[in-house]
Amino acid sequence: MKVLLVGEYSHLHNSLKDGLQALGHEVFIIGQKDGFKNFPVDFPIQKKWDSGLLKKVKIAVYKLSKFDISSFLTYRQFLKFKKQCSGFDVVQLINENSFECQPYFEKKIILHLLKNNLKLYLLSCGYDYLNVKYCLENPDFKSVFPLYLNHKIDKKSFGNVLKFQEKAFFKLHQFIYKNTNGIIASDFDYHLPLRGNEKYLGLIPNPINIEKLQFQPLNITDKIIIFHGINNDNYLKKGNDYFEKALEIIEQKYTSKVEIITVRSVPYAEYIYLYNNCHILLDMIYAYDQGYNALEAMAKGKVVFTGAENEFTAHYNLSEKVCINAIPNVDYLVNELSFLIENPNEITAIGKRARVFIEEHHNYIKIAEKYIQKWDEN
């Protein structure tokens, strides 16, 4: 099978590519390298006119004409890869705005992909029309939307999410929805809003390349190392403000027992290297399930604060913790961290269970087999 994966911003498509290639399939990725994370792609699209004076000119042109120069230049770059993006059995979009273009240019690119390849699939692993609609209509759903609804995040900062409710993006959604062979969710945050949808093919967990992520048993001989990686662009959306407040208390409470490492917006390869020696990793708060950073850290045997709500534990029939459920409550986070610091044997035990969980449920080759099955059946 020949597969084209469109878009990359979490390492999901790279790990799926590894799994598919291990099964003997031919796989390529087209997309942006997602800024500072710099994920590898086979056909790279550069986001142009996005900084300095050129960005100011771009904004001025857009205000006058609603024409986005960056979207046009992305489309022009795609045209250079037209031949390379033809003749595939399967094309999979990482979301409804995989090229980060205005809907007009996004649709033009997808039209080419539809005309020159056999099947088109859509991943739900980030915000899209259906997910945003569900979150707005269900404010009690655990997500970042209460931050916006309660005015903690302003409309401009939330623009990349709210855009999916605009008329042009709704039409793009309808176009993709009409032409896709099906939608696949990567975890519970995207599975729950899609239940009952006629195009929904089900949940396939994120693939993790366990060969590239070596398990390191947590040996605690001195201080317990807590790692907090911050993406400045998503500071509030990941709940970093709660983590930082909790860490201030922990640092005062356990000065002689802990070492806290905080890094900001570093490339992916550097990020996973920097947390190698930590015991506890703080990932994100507003989630039902684990995101990519959390899963890769769990594969290494770290104790990760992330999403682990009842829906998640019930689905995998877990009776013991494989990670720590994080919620937007400083006292709760301090209590959970304090328990681990005062019971280091529990850190070791959770780390071991985390690795076993990844091997059983996120093995990149087994996950690739599930994708192949869905693509063959639909």
Side-chain angles (χ1 to χ4, degrees), residues 27-42:
V27 191
F28 297 90
I29 300 175
I30 181 171
Q32 297 176 15
K33 292 190 174 184
D34 198 43
F36 69 87
K37 295 177 187 175
N38 199 30
F39 294 118
V41 296
D42 299 295

Side-chain angles (χ1 to χ4, degrees), residues 26 30-31 57 61 63 89 100 124 168 170 180 183 194 216 219 296 305 338 341 345 351 367:
E26 189 177 357
I30 181 171
V57 173
V61 170
K63 285 182 177 179
D89 301 295
E100 299 182 20
S124 182
F170 173 60
T180 185
I183 306 169
L194 284 169
Q216 301 168 331
N219 184 22
E296 292 193 323
F305 279 64
S338 297
I341 293 165
N345 288 339
I367 296 301

Side-chain angles (χ1 to χ4, degrees), residues 285-300:
I285 283 177
Y286 304 105
Y288 284 81
D289 202 340
Q290 300 88 59
Y292 225 85
N293 284 343
L295 293 171
E296 292 193 323
M298 288 165 66
K300 288 188 170 188

Side-chain angles (χ1 to χ4, degrees), residues 94-211:
I94 204 158
N95 69 7
E96 290 183 349
N97 196 203
S98 301
F99 290 92
E100 299 182 20
C101 288
Q102 283 180 308
Y104 171 77
F105 289 108
E106 196 86 22
K107 184 177 178 180
K108 285 175 73 72
I109 295 173
I110 295 172
L111 271 171
H112 171 85
L113 295 174
L114 284 167
K115 289 178 181 178
N116 293 281
N117 301 285
L118 291 179
K119 291 182 176 182
L120 180 76
Y121 295 87
L122 173 67
L123 267 186
S124 182
C125 62
Y127 292 111
D128 54 33
Y129 172 77
L130 291 173
N131 183 274
V132 171
K133 181 175 184 290
Y134 184 89
C135 290
L136 285 171
E137 292 174 352
N138 297 273
D140 292 333
F141 185 71
K142 189 183 182 186
S143 73
V144 300
F145 276 81
L147 298 179
Y148 167 69
L149 296 173
N150 296 325
H151 309 293
K152 191 172 181 178
I153 296 179
D154 60 40
K155 189 173 183 178
K156 183 178 180 181
S157 300
F158 215 52
N160 66 322
V161 178
L162 295 175
K163 70 182 182 184
F164 290 105
Q165 293 296 294
E166 295 173 4
K167 185 176 181 180
F169 277 96
F170 173 60
K171 288 185 175 180
L172 176 62
H173 156 75
Q174 289 180 310
F175 169 74
I176 295 173
Y177 187 86
K178 178 182 177 181
N179 288 286
T180 185
N181 289 73
I183 306 169
I184 297 168
S186 63
D187 64 44
F188 271 85
D189 297 276
Y190 311 109
H191 161 73
L192 295 173
L194 284 169
R195 289 174 299 177
N197 188 293
E198 63 180 8
K199 285 276 184 155
Y200 183 43
L201 303 180
L203 167 67
I204 300 181
N206 283 301
I208 301 296
N209 190 333
I210 55 177
E211 315 298 335

